[in-house]
Amino acid sequence: MAAISFELIKKDPGSLARLGSLTTTHGSIQTPIFMPVGTQATVKAMTPEELVEVGSQIILANTYHLYLRPGHELIARLGGLHRFMHWDRPMLTDSGGFQVFSLGELRKISEEGVNFRSHIDGSRHFISPEVSIAIQEALGADIAMCFDECPPYPAEYSYVQKSLELTTRWAQRCKNAHQRPDQALFGIVQGGMHPELRRESAKQITDIGFDGYALGGLSVGEEKEVMHRMMHECSDILPENSPRYIMGIGAPEDLVEAVNAGFDMFDCVMPTRNARNGALFTSFGRINIKAAVFAEDQSPIDPACSCYVCRNYSRAYLRHLYRSQEILASRLNSWHNLHYFLDLMAQMRAAIGRGEFSSFRKDFYAARSQQL
Amino acid sequence: MAAISFELIKKDPGSLARLGSLTTTHGSIQTPIFMPVGTQATVKAMTPEELVEVGSQIILANTYHLYLRPGHELIARLGGLHRFMHWDRPMLTDSGGFQVFSLGELRKISEEGVNFRSHIDGSRHFISPEVSIAIQEALGADIAMCFDECPPYPAEYSYVQKSLELTTRWAQRCKNAHQRPDQALFGIVQGGMHPELRRESAKQITDIGFDGYALGGLSVGEEKEVMHRMMHECSDILPENSPRYIMGIGAPEDLVEAVNAGFDMFDCVMPTRNARNGALFTSFGRINIKAAVFAEDQSPIDPACSCYVCRNYSRAYLRHLYRSQEILASRLNSWHNLHYFLDLMAQMRAAIGRGEFSSFRKDFYAARSQQL
C-alpha cells in the first residue's frame, strides 16, 4: 500500500485551481496548502500548538540543517523527528539539495553526489541521492523529496539541460534507495526558465514514477512575471491525479497564481523571516511595524484579521516590542504572518469549493490596491 | 477607600512564614508570591496567557525603561500599561530608583532628584520623587513604589545613614505627590547591611505610613549568608498587617529564606534571564541544558515537574534548540523556569496552610542535595 493517497475533490470551473485531500501516515491535509518551514526542527518562534492554532496542517523540515545538527542518527535514536520536536501531524523533509547548492564556493558537484563544507564549522561532508534518502528515512517525515540539482539563474541552456538529466539519474537512484513503507517520495522537476526543458524533465521524472511531483528551481532570482508564467507552463506537464508542489514559494500573490495554475502544495520562510524583520502581511498589502506612523496606533495589524495577535495587541505595542528587540516581537509577528498565509490558503480552498476561484483572485488584488 | 487591602490568613506555627491575601484594583493575590519581571512591558519570551498558565498572579514592570521607551505619556494616552501589554491582572511598577542608580557614572544624585543619561541614546533626563510618581501614575499599575536611593555595597556607615535619611525625605515627597486613588503606594526601607540603620529607616518610613513596605538594597553583591541574616533581622521591623516585599530577590533558596523570615512578595529577573542562558531550575538544583551529557537524554528537564515543557520536550531537544540559538529555546526555558519559581511559591503557601513550613523547608534543601 502506498504511503500516501491523493484525492482530487473538485476542480474550479473558471481556472486550473483544484481542491484535494492528501492522506499521509500522520493524517490528512486539505489542499491547496502552505507548509510553514521548521528548518532546525522548530518553526522559528512558534510552538507546535500555536502552529495548529494558526491553521498549519503540515510543516517542512530541512534535511541539510538537521543532518549537521543535531544529526539524523541522533534524531532516529530518539524516536524520529515527529517525536523529537513534538509534532504529530504530517511533515515533509526537503532533500538537502537546495541548501547544499546554496553554499556556492563551499560545494562541488559530481555524478556521484555533492562534496561540501558545513556552514557551521567548515567540516567536510558528502551527500549523494542515497545519503539524502538515508537521512530522510532516519528523520522519518511523511513525505521525502528526491535529491536534485538546482541550477542557478540565469544559466546557459546547455547547463540547464545537462543538470536536469543529472537530476533524473539521481531521482532514479533515490527511488532505488528508498525503502521506508510509511514514507512517500516525491520527484522534482527542474529545467530552469525553459518550458521545453521543464517538459522534458517532467517526462523523465514521471516515467520513473513517484507519489507526488514538485517544481524545483523557481523563486531563484527570476522576475515575478517569469515565475508566474513558468507556473502556467508547467502545471499540465504533471499528472493530474498526483499532488503538485512548488518548492520555496512564496509571496501571497505567488501562492494565488500557483493555485490558479493548478498547484497544491507550497513552502517558504517568508512569513516567519519577514516577521522577524517587522514586515507584516495584511489583506491590504504589507506594512512595516517599525514605521513611526504606528507609534500611537491603537488598531490591530489588520482590522480584517481574527488571529490572536490582532484580537489582543495594538500596532503601537507591536512597534514598541520590535524597537525594544523583544522576543515577543518575533513571536507575535510570526504568529500573525503565519495566520495570514494559512488563512489565505483556507480562503482559496473555500473559493474553489464554491467554484468561484476567479472572483476570489480578482478580489484579492483589488483589496491590495487599497493602501493603508 | 484604600487602593489595596491585605488580609493575614494564617501564621505558620514553626516559623515566621505567613499566608496572606492582597486585594488590588485588578484582583486578589495569594501571598507569599513571586512577581515575574516585565521590564519593557513584556515578561521576556512569554505571552500574558502563558504567564497565567505558569501561575503568575502579579507582574512587575520597570518605570525607568518604560519612561525612556515608549514613554509613559504615550502609554497613558493608549489607556495605561495594563491595556498596552494585554495584562488585566495585578501589576506593580518599581520607582526607577534602582535602575537609575545602576547607571553608575551616567547619573548624579542631589536632594532634588537624579540627573542621568539614557542607556539607549545618552540623552539627558531628570527623575525626582515627584517625577517618579507622575510616571507611575501614568503607567497605572496597581502598586507604585517610592523613589529611593539604593546605596552601593559595601558602603561607609555614614554614607548609608545619610542615604536612608534622603530616602525618607523622598518617601514623604512621594506620598505628598501621589494622588491616584486606584493605585497603592509602598514605602522602601534602606539601611544597607546594618540592622540598626534598617531599624531606623523602618521607623521613619512606617511613621510616614504606606500601603505596604519593601526592603530595598538587598542582593547587591553581599554574601548569601549576610542577605539571609538581614532578612531575619528586618521582618519584625515592618508592620505585621501590611504586605512585606523584598525587592530583587532572588534564587529559590533566597525565596525560601525570605518566606521563612515572614516576607510576602518578591521579584527577580533570575528565572527568565537564566533561562535565556540555558540555566534551568529543578527540584534537585540547577542544570545547564547546553551540557554534552544531555545530547541524547530523553527525559524532561525535571521528571518531578508538571509544566508544559516537561510534559512535551526532552532535554535532548532543548539542548538542540539552545545550541541552534532558536527563539523556542528562550521560550521553553523561560516557561519552565517561571513555572518552577511560581510552583515553589504555591508549594510554600500550601505548606504554611498546613502549618508545616519548617518541614517543607527541610525537604527543599534535602532534595537539592541529590545531585543529577
Side-chain angles (χ1 to χ4, degrees):
Chain A
M1 203 184 106
I4 61 164
S5 65
F6 180 69
E7 186 193 350
L8 198 53
I9 293 170
K10 183 161 183 175
K11 292 161 73 174
D12 183 65
S15 72
L16 297 174
R18 48 204 236 144
L19 198 62
S21 175
L22 179 64
T23 300
T24 76
T25 302
H26 285 83
S28 288
I29 302 152
Q30 305 309 303
T31 61
I33 191 59
F34 178 82
M35 302 183 278
V37 177
T39 299
Q40 303 191 108
T42 164
V43 175
K44 288 190 194 302
M46 301 286 289
T47 62
E49 289 80 2
E50 289 163 358
L51 289 173
V52 171
E53 190 173 331
V54 297
S56 310
Q57 301 182 54
I58 173 171
I59 62 173
L60 179 149
N62 287 126
T63 286
Y64 165 80
H65 289 86
L66 295 173
Y67 158 78
L68 289 179
R69 186 173 57 195
H72 57 293
E73 289 168 344
L74 184 151
I75 290 175
R77 285 193 296 274
L78 294 176
L81 188 53
H82 283 92
R83 182 167 167 192
F84 186 60
M85 68 182 288
H86 175 49
W87 175 259
D88 61 3
R89 297 178 183 230
M91 193 188 302
L92 180 148
T93 43
D94 65 6
S95 68
F98 182 76
Q99 263 79 21
V100 166
F101 296 114
S102 303
L103 292 172
E105 294 300 304
L106 291 171
R107 50 89 179 151
K108 186 153 181 282
I109 306 165
S110 68
E111 181 68 32
E112 184 53 24
V114 184
N115 282 286
F116 64 97
R117 286 176 178 272
S118 158
H119 75 286
I120 300 173
D121 61 7
S123 55
R124 290 175 187 279
H125 300 270
F126 174 72
I127 294 187
S128 65
E130 292 78 12
V131 171
S132 171
I133 294 299
I135 299 170
Q136 292 186 76
E137 289 191 342
L139 296 175
D142 301 82
I143 303 172
M145 300 299 299
C146 283
F147 191 68
D148 61 328
E149 194 203 347
C150 177
Y153 177 81
E156 295 283 328
Y157 186 94
S158 61
Y159 179 92
V160 177
Q161 186 162 32
K162 277 187 193 164
S163 167
L164 80 86
E165 285 163 2
L166 179 64
T167 286
T168 297
R169 292 192 296 278
W170 284 1
Q172 183 64 60
R173 285 167 58 190
C174 285
K175 183 162 182 183
N176 295 348
H178 190 258
Q179 297 185 339
R180 205 172 156 148
D182 60 348
Q183 183 178 64
L185 181 61
F186 280 21
I188 302 178
V189 169
Q190 291 287 353
M193 306 303 155
H194 308 288
E196 62 280 24
L197 293 184
R198 287 281 176 181
R199 230 178 325 269
E200 178 56 30
S201 176
K203 186 180 178 313
Q204 294 177 13
I205 297 296
T206 55
D207 278 353
I208 298 173
F210 292 97
D211 298 311
Y213 299 93
L215 294 186
L218 286 186
S219 196
V220 289
E222 74 278 16
E223 296 285 315
K224 284 257 179 195
E225 196 194 318
V226 174
M227 181 207 297
H228 294 172
R229 198 170 59 236
M230 289 306 299
M231 292 173 179
H232 280 272
E233 299 268 7
C234 292
S235 77
D236 70 351
I237 63 177
L238 298 180
E240 182 171 42
N241 291 313
S242 297
R244 298 168 177 165
Y245 166 23
I246 306 186
M247 305 186 78
I249 298 289
E253 59 275 17
D254 302 332
L255 297 173
V256 170
E257 291 313 303
V259 168
N260 189 49
F263 288 88
D264 311 303
M265 299 167 70
F266 315 96
D267 79 275
C268 192
V269 296
M270 187 177 287
T272 43
R273 180 173 291 167
N274 283 22
R276 296 195 304 282
N277 294 322
L280 302 176
F281 293 89
T282 76
S283 53
F284 48 86
R286 252 180 261 196
I287 64 172
N288 198 305
I289 201 62
K290 53 194 153 180
V293 67
F294 300 128
E296 302 212 13
D297 191 335
Q298 303 217 38
S299 29
I301 300 168
D302 185 348
C305 178
S306 64
C307 83
Y308 164 77
V309 183
C310 287
R311 287 198 313 272
N312 295 303
Y313 301 94
S314 64
R315 292 171 180 171
Y317 181 64
L318 294 167
R319 176 175 188 265
H320 164 68
L321 289 180
Y322 184 84
R323 292 177 74 222
S324 303
Q325 303 182 284
E326 284 287 350
I327 290 172
L328 193 58
S330 293
R331 288 190 59 183
L332 298 180
N333 292 349
S334 298
W335 191 317
H336 169 81
N337 276 359
L338 282 172
H339 178 274
Y340 175 87
F341 273 66
L342 290 156
D343 187 59
L344 175 64
M345 301 311 296
Q347 287 181 42
M348 288 199 271
R349 290 195 299 273
I352 302 168
R354 293 191 310 268
E356 296 174 356
F357 184 77
S358 294
S359 93
F360 169 86
R361 181 167 168 247
K362 203 173 132 196
D363 293 346
F364 169 82
Y365 286 110
R368 287 155 64 93
S369 66
Q370 312 293 320
Q371 279 308 307
L372 179 64
Chain B
M1 204 185 103
I4 62 165
S5 63
F6 180 68
E7 187 193 351
L8 199 53
I9 294 172
K10 182 161 183 175
K11 291 161 74 172
D12 183 65
S15 72
L16 297 173
R18 48 203 237 146
L19 199 62
S21 175
L22 179 64
T23 300
T24 75
T25 302
H26 285 83
S28 287
I29 302 151
Q30 304 310 302
T31 61
I33 190 62
F34 178 82
M35 302 182 278
V37 177
T39 298
Q40 302 190 109
T42 164
V43 173
K44 287 189 194 303
M46 301 286 288
T47 62
E49 288 80 3
E50 290 163 358
L51 290 172
V52 171
E53 189 172 332
V54 298
S56 312
Q57 301 182 54
I58 172 171
I59 62 173
L60 179 149
N62 287 126
T63 287
Y64 165 79
H65 289 87
L66 295 172
Y67 158 76
L68 288 179
R69 186 172 60 195
H72 57 292
E73 289 168 344
L74 185 150
I75 290 176
R77 284 193 296 273
L78 294 176
L81 188 53
H82 283 91
R83 181 166 169 194
F84 185 60
M85 68 180 288
H86 177 47
W87 175 259
D88 61 4
R89 297 179 182 231
M91 191 188 303
L92 179 149
T93 43
D94 65 5
S95 69
F98 182 75
Q99 264 79 20
V100 166
F101 295 117
S102 302
L103 292 172
E105 294 300 304
L106 290 172
R107 49 88 180 149
K108 187 153 179 281
I109 305 165
S110 67
E111 181 69 31
E112 183 53 23
V114 184
N115 281 286
F116 65 97
R117 284 176 179 272
S118 158
H119 75 287
I120 301 173
D121 61 8
S123 55
R124 290 174 187 279
H125 300 270
F126 174 72
I127 294 188
S128 63
E130 292 77 14
V131 171
S132 172
I133 294 299
I135 299 170
Q136 293 186 77
E137 290 192 341
L139 296 175
D142 301 83
I143 302 172
M145 300 299 298
C146 283
F147 191 69
D148 61 328
E149 194 203 346
C150 178
Y153 178 82
E156 295 283 327
Y157 188 92
S158 62
Y159 179 92
V160 177
Q161 186 163 31
K162 276 187 192 163
S163 168
L164 80 84
E165 286 163 1
L166 179 64
T167 286
T168 297
R169 291 191 297 277
W170 284 1
Q172 183 65 61
R173 285 167 58 190
C174 285
K175 182 160 182 184
N176 296 347
H178 190 257
Q179 296 185 340
R180 205 171 156 149
D182 60 347
Q183 183 178 63
L185 181 62
F186 279 23
I188 302 178
V189 168
Q190 291 287 353
M193 306 304 156
H194 309 288
E196 63 278 23
L197 293 184
R198 286 282 177 180
R199 227 176 328 267
E200 178 56 31
S201 176
K203 186 180 178 312
Q204 294 178 12
I205 298 295
T206 54
D207 278 354
I208 298 173
F210 292 96
D211 298 312
Y213 298 93
L215 293 186
L218 286 185
S219 197
V220 288
E222 74 279 14
E223 296 287 313
K224 284 257 181 197
E225 195 194 318
V226 174
M227 182 207 294
H228 294 172
R229 197 169 61 234
M230 288 306 300
M231 292 173 179
H232 281 271
E233 300 267 7
C234 292
S235 77
D236 71 350
I237 64 177
L238 299 179
E240 182 171 43
N241 291 312
S242 297
R244 297 168 178 164
Y245 166 25
I246 306 185
M247 305 186 77
I249 299 286
E253 60 275 17
D254 302 333
L255 297 174
V256 170
E257 292 312 303
V259 168
N260 189 50
F263 288 88
D264 310 303
M265 300 168 67
F266 315 98
D267 79 275
C268 192
V269 296
M270 188 178 284
T272 44
R273 180 175 292 167
N274 283 23
R276 297 194 304 280
N277 294 322
L280 302 177
F281 293 89
T282 76
S283 52
F284 47 86
R286 252 179 262 195
I287 65 173
N288 199 306
I289 200 63
K290 52 194 153 181
V293 68
F294 300 128
E296 302 212 13
D297 190 337
Q298 303 216 39
S299 28
I301 299 168
D302 184 349
C305 178
S306 64
C307 84
Y308 164 77
V309 183
C310 288
R311 288 198 313 273
N312 295 303
Y313 302 93
S314 64
R315 292 171 179 170
Y317 181 64
L318 294 168
R319 177 175 187 265
H320 163 69
L321 290 181
Y322 184 84
R323 291 177 75 223
S324 303
Q325 303 182 287
E326 284 286 351
I327 290 172
L328 193 57
S330 292
R331 288 190 58 183
L332 298 180
N333 293 350
S334 298
W335 191 316
H336 169 82
N337 276 0
L338 282 173
H339 178 273
Y340 175 86
F341 273 65
L342 289 157
D343 186 59
L344 175 63
M345 301 312 296
Q347 288 181 41
M348 288 200 269
R349 289 194 301 272
I352 302 168
R354 294 191 309 269
E356 296 173 354
F357 185 77
S358 293
S359 94
F360 169 87
R361 181 167 167 245
K362 203 174 132 193
D363 293 345
F364 170 82
Y365 286 110
R368 287 154 64 93
S369 66
Q370 313 292 323
Q371 278 307 308
L372 179 66

